[in-house]
Amino acid sequence: MSDDLTVLEAALDAFGNAPTLGEMPRRTLADKGIDGPTAAHVIEEVHTPLNLAYLTFTTGSSAFQNIVGVTHGEISGRCAVARTLFERLGTGPGTRMLVTYPPLVNVFAADALRACDVSWGFLKRSSRDALLVAVCREQPKIILGESSFLRAGLEQAVKLGLKAHFPKGCVLLTAGTPLDQELLPVAEAFGYTVHDLYGCQEFGWLTLDGTPLRGDISLVTSPRGAAYRELVVGGLPMGDSFLISPSGHVCDPAGKIITYRRERTYPEYEVVVTHTQATAATTVEKAARTILRIKGRVVKVSPDLVTGASATRLLLVPGLPGADGLWAAGIPLEGPQATRLFDDLVQAQADLQKTAKSDPAWIKGR
């Protein structure tokens, strides 16, 4: 081997500024706070871009699972939601939570739970038997899980004579699927309170017992009918329509969004950006592609986009014309409040353009 090659190799080892595999930063399941078992996943390492706080997946309840990216700029908002949530539950610092399905932690963001001084653990296996063992052994204050699974677990505890071993005054925080109302009398027999938590991997937790957890949630007309409203978070439509009832939510009469009466919105709304505080249209165009890729929402940029505006303005338009062949009028949303999440994602795109990390082995220019 030539001396020149030996010198080059020595210089590479001593002064190379690109990392080796062992030097690359790592984000484990434990780092993300989701180091628990499921029966529906394989644990896979992946090269995650540095501009994302973490990756996760939708549950696949309505279609094939979709990959979701959470940006660093979204974490502060998720921390604020977690603080509001635990304040409403009346649980203080040091609360112990048992999570029956590890990916639910990603809807919080582990940093949000840590900021609230909430500790959490998981089942040994994804089964009702494991739920009973964990509840009896760990004595959690909060149990987070799908409502039908929790109901079946409590009923099994009664049949097996384990009710006396369950903790007192537990909070059942149900999530993931519409609330199974048969859980309520079962929980009452244990002296437990039930709360209905609605949200998604893309945008975090959004409502508790029919009341918004964020200040940028809007309720707009739904094609499902006059009694329903489409839920929009920060200018981005959820694709879910809910019955709005003055009589209130079964868990809290003050909550008017009946999250257990959910219908998929069809046709779904698309977002058109007409005004932006950004100074360059290209930033908004790139953010629109980003939102489609990591949040699964269709955002289009008006050819007449106004840049440098005092506030963001969005227009929600149906993805298809009506039965009469006519397009319905769009629904306007104006920032800063109603478009906060959209603005956060535009800011994340702007920050990426300023600080993007590139790999010298992957040159896209020609």
Side-chain angles (χ1 to χ4, degrees):
M1 192 173 293
S2 71
D3 290 341
D4 289 343
L5 183 57
T6 301
V7 170
L8 177 62
E9 186 175 14
L12 172 65
D13 291 339
F15 306 111
N17 54 15
T20 65
L21 178 62
E23 293 168 344
M24 288 182 66
R26 291 182 177 270
R27 187 180 297 141
T28 65
L29 292 182
D31 294 330
K32 295 168 66 175
I34 58 171
D35 49 332
T38 84
H41 296 83
V42 60
I43 298 172
E44 176 182 0
E45 291 188 291
V46 63
H47 288 85
T48 301
L50 293 171
N51 50 289
L52 292 175
Y54 59 90
L55 295 178
T56 184
F57 281 85
T58 61
T59 57
S61 57
S62 60
F64 209 84
Q65 296 91 335
N66 190 47
I67 195 166
V68 173
V70 178
T71 65
H72 295 282
E74 294 175 77
I75 300 301
S76 61
R78 296 202 181 199
C79 288
V81 166
R83 286 194 298 272
T84 299
L85 169 62
F86 292 115
E87 286 171 3
R88 290 188 189 176
L89 294 179
T91 56
T95 295
R96 177 68 177 174
M97 180 166 66
L98 178 64
V99 180
T100 63
Y101 186 66
L104 290 174
V105 172
N106 281 336
V107 189
F108 282 101
D111 285 346
L113 292 176
R114 295 178 184 123
C116 292
D117 193 22
V118 172
S119 63
W120 65 98
F122 304 105
L123 309 183
K124 186 174 184 179
R125 299 180 186 275
S126 291
S127 69
R128 288 203 302 271
D129 290 344
L131 171 65
L132 301 186
V133 170
V135 172
C136 293
R137 295 293 189 194
E138 298 181 23
Q139 299 287 296
K141 176 63 178 178
I142 299 173
I143 305 174
L144 172 63
E146 194 270 328
S147 56
S148 292
F149 178 69
L150 297 183
R151 173 184 55 77
L154 295 183
E155 290 172 341
Q156 183 173 333
V158 172
K159 292 177 182 177
L160 295 178
L162 294 175
K163 181 180 176 182
H165 298 281
F166 269 50
K168 307 297 183 184
C170 203
V171 174
L172 303 183
L173 194 54
T174 67
T177 57
L179 175 66
D180 177 358
Q181 295 183 60
E182 293 182 6
L183 169 63
L184 299 177
V186 178
E188 185 178 10
F190 278 72
Y192 291 174
T193 57
V194 176
H195 293 279
D196 182 23
L197 189 57
Y198 167 76
C200 64
Q201 295 287 353
E202 297 95 317
F203 305 125
W205 299 119
L206 303 176
T207 70
L208 179 69
D209 300 337
T211 299
L213 288 165
R214 298 176 57 110
D216 59 352
I217 288 178
S218 305
L219 297 171
V220 303
T221 303
S222 168
R224 284 294 181 181
Y228 284 83
R229 291 293 182 271
E230 161 88 5
L231 194 146
V232 180
V233 54
L236 299 174
M238 284 295 302
D240 284 337
S241 292
F242 299 100
L243 188 68
I244 305 300
S245 173
S247 61
H249 191 286
V250 67
C251 294
D252 181 2
K256 307 306 180 186
I257 306 171
I258 312 305
T259 42
Y260 47 89
R261 294 288 301 277
R262 181 181 71 186
E263 299 285 347
R264 292 297 297 174
T265 305
Y266 186 83
E268 290 194 27
Y269 283 109
E270 297 179 354
V271 180
V272 178
V273 189
T274 62
H275 295 68
T276 179
Q277 293 178 295
T279 56
T282 54
T283 300
V284 182
E285 291 164 356
K286 291 178 180 179
R289 290 194 291 272
T290 294
I291 291 169
L292 176 62
R293 292 172 179 176
I294 69 172
K295 303 298 185 184
R297 299 299 183 271
V298 176
V299 176
K300 299 177 180 178
V301 180
S302 169
D304 301 318
L305 176 70
V306 176
T307 58
S310 59
T312 299
R313 292 183 188 175
L314 307 175
L315 194 64
L316 303 185
V317 296
L320 292 171
D324 55 6
L326 300 177
W327 291 88
I331 300 172
L333 294 173
E334 184 167 348
Q337 185 75 356
T339 64
R340 191 177 73 206
L341 180 57
F342 174 80
D343 291 336
D344 287 346
L345 293 171
V346 172
Q347 185 59 52
Q349 180 62 46
D351 293 342
L352 170 62
Q353 292 168 188
K354 295 175 185 176
T355 61
K357 303 295 183 183
S358 60
D359 191 317
W362 188 251
I363 302 173
K364 293 186 177 182
R366 292 293 184 268

